[in-house]
Amino acid sequence: QILKLGAIAFACLLCEGTMFDWSGVYFKKAVQVPASLTGLGYAAFMGCMATGRFMADKVVMRVGSRLMLRGAGFLIATGLMTAVLFPTIVAATIGFMLVGFGVSSVVPLVYSQAGRSTTLQPGQALAMVSTFGYAGFLSGPPIIGFVAEATNLRWSFAMVALVGLSTSILAGALPKKK
């Protein structure tokens, strides 16, 4: 189970790292906004990520962690694909908002579940999951740059959408009680 949680953290933080490092570039090059609006996608993402963190506990209490994680992956993938398929300022901003809501609850949930591990000491489990997560956060942006250089930025964001969707798939393999 710890490896599944680590894989979820990896996937989510890869998406989050991409948004941190590439959202302004995406708005400039793919959406082609004026220079004064290149930060709009990042601001939309960050605002929704912060809002989602405040709302997540109430949603988790209603639907459970597993369903919340599955929904998060779906939001990440939907948001990124919206921005990829419709690279306009309105659609990309809405897409980035969805990504913000999607990533907002994943890390707190997987860290919480790791801390309740029955197979490892809580500190060991948390260290393993966070190591996987930060590997995704740090490796994602350079991978995106490599893929964007080989193809284009929209293709690299589509690839990240698939990584985000893997959050849903991996969460489906978690026990239903969590």
Side-chain angles (χ1 to χ4, degrees):
Q1 168 140 345
I2 294 301
L3 291 177
K4 290 175 192 168
L5 293 173
I8 292 169
F10 179 90
C12 177
L13 283 170
L14 186 144
C15 297
E16 197 171 316
T18 297
M19 297 305 287
F20 277 32
D21 289 357
W22 286 95
S23 59
V25 177
Y26 190 84
F27 262 62
K28 180 180 180 183
K29 294 195 177 203
V31 182
Q32 299 180 345
V33 299
S36 62
L37 294 176
T38 56
L40 178 62
Y42 180 74
F45 164 76
M46 288 300 292
C48 288
M49 185 171 75
T51 302
R53 290 237 165 110
F54 289 116
M55 296 173 14
D57 284 343
K58 288 182 182 180
V59 178
V60 170
M61 297 296 269
R62 290 180 119 163
V63 303
S65 296
R66 184 174 179 262
L67 187 57
M68 182 72 159
L69 289 169
R70 294 191 82 182
F74 179 74
L75 284 174
I76 294 167
T78 300
L80 285 166
M81 287 311 295
T82 298
V84 167
L85 294 173
F86 308 103
T88 64
I89 191 165
V90 173
T93 301
I94 291 169
F96 281 28
M97 291 170 75
L98 292 174
V99 177
F101 281 124
V103 301
S104 67
S105 63
V106 175
V107 170
L109 286 173
V110 295
Y111 284 5
S112 173
Q113 288 186 20
R116 293 191 307 268
S117 172
T118 57
T119 57
L120 294 172
Q121 294 291 328
Q124 291 174 318
L126 186 56
M128 284 181 67
V129 171
S130 65
T131 298
F132 278 106
Y134 283 105
F137 188 81
L138 295 173
S139 67
I143 292 169
I144 298 314
F146 177 76
V147 172
E149 188 69 29
T151 59
N152 64 46
L153 198 53
R154 288 175 65 195
W155 273 107
S156 65
F157 268 59
M159 181 192 77
V160 175
L162 292 176
V163 173
L165 185 60
S166 73
T167 300
S168 289
I169 296 164
L170 291 164
L174 293 174
K176 289 187 180 187
K177 63 184 175 194
K178 300 234 173 193

